[in-house]
Amino acid sequence: MTALLLFGFLITALSQQINTEQIPFDTIVIFGDSHSDTGNVYKLTDQIWPRPPYFQGRFSNGLIWVDKLSVTNIMNYAYGAATTDNSLVQSIAWSPVMPTPGVRQQIAIYAKDSNIITSNLNRTLFIIWVGSNDFAYNRTMHPSLVVASLSNAISDLLKFNIKHILVFNLLPLHLMPNIHAFNQESYYSAMVLEFNNNLSKEIASMQATNPYVSLRIFNIHSLVSKIINNPIMYSFDNNED
């Protein structure tokens, strides 16, 4: 399965879920990596990276899930190649090589850009989707450290008294074509499982200590696994090429 096809799976699945649910938000603020970037790295690199066949600064050959959100205001701080925190693992754009903001740095940028005090936080959803690049850049990184780093990013947001946070877990990375090419399926399968389990526990703990905040996980791992196992249901007739 190609990377572009996998992104097609993501767009279809997320769009179907988005279109069947009423979104009770006027504003969505997004932090993350290439799964969510709609042109930030492209702008940072003077429109050099990502190159075609990627589409207009997205790490996809077309629109991504962010483009499908039917809300009044989308504030997207996601950068391709981002990690959870540059102080843990440095985020790097590859062509040309230059640093990019990790999620904790993206949150700091948002805090400077936005008038959070006057925002209607009851109508604002904050989304975080990050983690895989921490392991891509540092194979020795333990999942618990990345979850702790992601927890720190969530804590940064909680300081602003926000009300709604949605955190994506990790995809089944062992199914990605580059992982197959380097025979790394076993490592990534075990790593993702441990990361997602630790993340679920951490989110549950943070929710318990912050009862006035809606803190939820979007189980993208389960969703993509279902798509790959039953592509016909999602209008795909080929999940191999």
Side-chain angles (χ1 to χ4, degrees):
M1 182 192 304
T2 66
L4 295 182
L5 181 56
L6 181 56
F7 273 109
F9 281 159
L10 290 177
I11 294 164
T12 299
L14 289 171
S15 298
Q16 288 181 358
Q17 184 146 347
I18 290 165
N19 291 334
T20 57
E21 297 179 0
Q22 184 177 1
I23 301 178
F25 303 107
D26 299 321
T27 299
I28 295 181
V29 184
I30 300 167
F31 308 103
D33 53 25
S34 59
H35 296 123
S36 309
D37 187 355
T38 52
N40 288 328
V41 161
Y42 196 55
K43 181 179 179 180
L44 180 68
T45 60
D46 293 327
Q47 301 184 354
I48 294 175
W49 188 67
R51 297 184 176 93
Y54 291 119
F55 175 74
Q56 295 184 1
R58 292 151 178 81
F59 289 79
S60 169
N61 63 338
L63 299 177
I64 64 172
W65 68 275
V66 177
D67 299 301
K68 303 292 184 176
L69 296 173
S70 300
V71 295
T72 304
N73 184 33
I74 297 175
M75 304 173 68
N76 190 355
Y77 293 86
Y79 279 77
T83 61
T84 55
D85 184 356
N86 283 349
S87 66
L88 180 68
V89 181
Q90 176 64 56
S91 305
I92 301 173
W94 289 108
S95 181
V97 175
M98 61 175 61
T100 61
V103 161
R104 292 195 76 185
Q105 289 69 45
Q106 294 168 23
I107 292 171
I109 294 170
Y110 163 75
K112 291 180 180 179
D113 286 350
S114 305
N115 192 344
I116 300 173
I117 295 176
T118 61
S119 300
N120 185 352
L121 296 178
N122 289 317
R123 300 279 300 174
T124 302
L125 173 65
F126 293 81
I127 296 177
I128 301 177
W129 188 1
V130 72
S132 59
N133 288 325
D134 294 64
F135 301 103
Y137 295 147
N138 186 347
R139 282 284 307 275
T140 65
M141 184 65 61
H142 195 276
S144 62
L145 294 178
V146 183
V147 170
S149 181
L150 182 50
S151 177
N152 288 336
I154 296 170
S155 295
D156 291 342
L157 285 175
L158 291 175
K159 294 175 184 177
F160 304 129
N161 296 317
I162 66 176
K163 305 300 181 184
H164 306 281
I165 306 177
L166 182 65
V167 182
F168 282 61
N169 62 9
L170 288 186
L171 293 160
L173 298 175
H174 64 285
L175 299 177
M176 296 290 285
N178 58 319
I179 304 303
H180 281 289
F182 292 98
N183 297 316
Q184 297 176 334
E185 294 95 334
S186 296
Y187 163 75
Y188 276 96
S189 179
M191 177 273 293
V192 167
L193 178 62
E194 184 168 359
F195 176 94
N196 286 347
N197 286 339
N198 287 351
L199 180 63
S200 294
K201 294 175 183 177
E202 181 64 18
I203 294 298
S205 176
M206 297 186 79
Q207 179 67 84
T209 56
N210 297 275
Y212 300 106
V213 178
S214 174
L215 184 54
R216 299 288 184 267
I217 288 179
F218 189 102
N219 194 346
I220 192 67
H221 185 282
S222 175
L223 178 59
V224 171
S225 297
K226 290 177 181 177
I227 296 170
I228 292 173
N229 291 330
N230 192 359
I232 300 299
M233 181 179 295
Y234 296 88
S235 303
F236 289 96
D237 57 10
N238 184 350
N239 67 345
E240 298 293 337
D241 299 329

